[in-house]
Amino acid sequence: LLAACAAHEMLPQSPELPADVFSSCLTTPIKLALRWFCQRSLLRNEGLSVDLIDRIPGRQTDRKTPLGELNWIFTAITDTIAWNMLPRPLFQRLFRQDLLVASLFRNFLLAERVLRANHCTPISVPALPPTHQHPMWQAWDMAAEMCLQQLPRLIAEPTLEFTPSPFFTEQLTAFEVWLEHGSERKRPPEQLPIVLQVLLSQQHRLRALVLLGRFLDMGPWAVDLALSVGIFPYVLKLLQTSASDLRQILVFIWTKILALDKSCQVDLSKDQGHSYFVKFLDSPGVPGEQRAMAAFVLTTIMEGNPKGRLACYQSNLLAVCAVSLQHLLRDAPEPSAASGVLQIETVWDSGAELLAKWLCLCMGSLWTAAPEIQHVAYSERLHELLAPLVTASVPEVRAAAVFALGALVAGEEEEPGRRDDDTDDDRYPDHAAGRSYPSQEEVMHPHQRVVACMLLRLLPDASPLVRYEHLVAVSHVALSHSALFCEAANTIHRAHQDQAEGPAARRTLRP
C-alpha cells in the first residue's frame, strides 16, 4: 500500500510541479526528479526549461544514452539507500522478490524526498524509515546536474557525443578505500549495491569483480552481506560471457559463494552454469590452485544433487578429470622403493596438491551411487589411475583418493525425483549412442576386488582423516559383497568351532 500523504495533510498545489506529484514519481521518476532538481538549482537561470527536460535523448534501457545512464544511476542509488536503511528481511521482500514491486518502491523513495520538501509525508505499508535525507541523494543531484549541463548542446546538435558521469568510477574508488580499512566490526560498505550494478557495465566489470572478490575474501560475513544485496543473479548471468579476463575472478567468487551457501547448486546446473567450470577445469595453462577452485565448485554442484551430477557427466567432466589427473601424475616421481610412498611434495607445489585432492573428490562425487558412471570408470580403468595417490605423502591427497575409491565400490541409492520410466539411455548418452561396454557385473566385480586390495594397504596409516575414509570405503566393499563376506565369516566360524568343540557343535551364521 502506497499513499501520497497522511490523513491530516494536504497535497502540494504548485504550478512548478505536476498536478499529481505522487503518481508522477511512481510512473516517470527520472523526468520528475530532473524537473524538481532544476527548480532548486542554479541551472534554471542558464536557459534550461521543462520542455528541454521532456526531450532528454536516449532510452531507459540503453545505458550509453543520457536517459539510460540516469535511470541506471537512479536504480543504483535507490537500491543503496534501501539496503542501508531497511532491515535485511524487508529489503529482500520489497526490492529483490518481484521486479515490479522493487521498481515501485524505488520510485516511492523519490516521492518521499520530493513530497517531504513540500510538507507531505508519504505513507507505505509496510512502513519504511525516513530516507529523504540520505547522503546518496547528493550523489544523485551531482549526476543530474552533469547531465542537465550537457542537455542544451545535445538537443541542439544530436551528433555530439554524450560525456558519461563519473558516478560509478567514484563509487568503485570509495569501495576500494573501504576495503583498505574496513572489517567485520565496522559498518558495512554502503557502495555494495552499486558494485553489483556496475557488473552490468563492460567498462567497469573487471574492476568491480576484482573488488568484489577482495570483499568476499574477508570472510563468511562478507559473503553473507553480498548475498543479502542480491549478488546471485548478477554473477550467474556472467557465466554466459566468453571473456577470458573474467574467468579466474568469476571462479574465485563462485568458490566463496558455494563455500557458504550450497543452495545455489540447483540453479547453477539448471542454467548450464556448470559447463563454465568444466571448461575452466579443462585449461592446462591455468594455475593448479585456480583449477582446484573449479573442481570444488563442480563437486559442490553434484553433492546430494543427482540432476547436477548427471549434467556434469553429460558435460564430459569424467574425461576432463581423468586427463587432468594423468597430467599431474606424469610429473610425479616414482614411489619410494623402501617405503612405497609417493613423495609428491618434492615435485608438486601446493597448487598441484590442491588440484589432485579436488580432482579425486570431484570424481568420487561424480560416480557416487551411479552404477552406470562407475561402469564407465572401471571400463576406462580409472581406479588404476587413482592407485598411486593412495600412497601419496600428503594425507589430504591420500584421503581424497580413498574417498574416490570407496565411492567407486558403493552401491546405488534411490535418486530423488527419478521416475520409474526413466531409462539409463536417457540419463547416460554414451550407452544410447551405442558405445559398447561389457556388462556391469562382468566389469565391476573383478575390479572391485582390486580396489579392496588397494584399500588393505592403508590399514596401518597414521592419519586419522585417511583412516576415517578407509573405514567408510571398506564398509562400502562389505555392503556391496555382503554374501561373500557372510560366506567367509561362516567358513572362519566353522573352522573355529571345529577346532574348539568338534563337528557336533558346528553352527551356521546367517546374514
Side-chain angles (χ1 to χ4, degrees), residues 134-156:
H134 195 279
M136 287 302 298
W137 284 120
Q138 299 175 13
W140 164 254
D141 291 342
M142 180 176 291
E145 182 175 356
M146 292 189 64
C147 178
L148 292 175
Q149 283 178 336
Q150 303 179 60
L151 190 55
R153 293 186 292 108
L154 291 173
I155 294 177

Side-chain angles (χ1 to χ4, degrees), residues 60 78 176 220 320 492:
Q60 290 192 1
T78 48
E176 189 171 8
V320 170
I492 295 173

Side-chain angles (χ1 to χ4, degrees), residues 38 54 68 71 113 166 181 192 253 288 310 339 358 392-393 461 483 494:
C38 185
D54 289 336
N71 183 68
R113 187 189 189 205
H181 308 284
L192 198 53
I253 288 173
L310 175 59
S339 62
W358 280 106
S393 54
D461 197 290
R494 284 195 297 268

